[in-house]
Amino acid sequence: ITGMSAGTAVVTVTTVDGGKTAYCLVTVVAEPTEQTIAVEGVTLNKASLSLTAGDSQTLSATISPSNATNQKLIWSSDNEQVAKVDSNGKVTAVAKGAATIIVQTEDGNKTAFCTVSVKEKQTTIDVTGISVNPSTITLALKKTKTLKVTVTPSNATNKTVTYTSSNAAVATVSSTGTVKAVAPGVATITVKAGSITKKVTVKVKPAKVTSFKKTKLSKTKIKISWKKQSKVTGYKVYRY
């Protein structure tokens, strides 16, 4: 027996010999239809976003109940000049300002919102050059000289200048570019702004000898003496 459609029927069987009959009542039940589960609400994983122009972030929406029949969503922005959103919830910041991203269920028109704040993209202007004046320095012991540095372009984002000495035992340099002579010798001051560097050569002269005395010992010999200078490791004597 094959059921064709919902309803009842009587199946009769009859013998060929004698015409004897028997009956069977058959009831055909219709196939159960799938139950539709309505959407009750929708939520977003974030209520607000802070983005920089050009950046993007994807929002995630959750429909309740999770087994609702129609899971389709409609995404939109109330200000596409500030922020746009695609069909997958990807938000792209366009320009400075505020916008609201709206997600709506196709079933029931349930909605959720995300406020988007967009900041301007900061443009970094690199240092392209520096000039240092003077480029060489000659100093007497304990004397100082301040370097004058000009950074280009004038509107560079970071115009911070740093100074280092190759030999602090000969010459030191402060954070403001003041060079101080410490002991006779040569040192190199490196001036840096951004990725640009300049070098300044510093020569420190020994102090002049004081309290010089000459004593004649004989016709061919004399004795000379002087006051010892601080941080001086040697002396040169010249005959004129």
Side-chain angles (χ1 to χ4, degrees), residues 41-46 58-64 66 71-75 87-90 101-105 110-113:
V42 63
T43 57
L44 287 171
N45 62 322
K46 291 190 176 182
T58 300
L59 294 171
S60 175
T62 303
I63 289 176
S64 59
S66 59
Q71 296 279 327
K72 292 183 179 179
L73 296 168
I74 302 166
W75 295 87
S87 59
N88 297 311
K90 182 180 178 181
I101 302 301
I102 306 144
V103 62
Q104 180 177 317
T105 63
K110 307 298 182 183
T111 55
F113 306 90

Side-chain angles (χ1 to χ4, degrees), residues 183-219:
V186 178
T188 300
I189 303 299
T190 300
V191 184
K192 184 175 182 181
S195 61
I196 309 298
T197 59
K198 291 284 186 178
K199 295 185 182 296
V200 176
T201 300
V202 179
K203 297 178 181 179
V204 180
K205 300 184 297 183
K208 291 183 179 180
V209 172
T210 59
S211 303
F212 185 85
K213 292 176 67 176
K214 179 179 71 173
T215 304
K216 185 175 181 180
L217 301 178
S218 67
K219 290 184 179 181

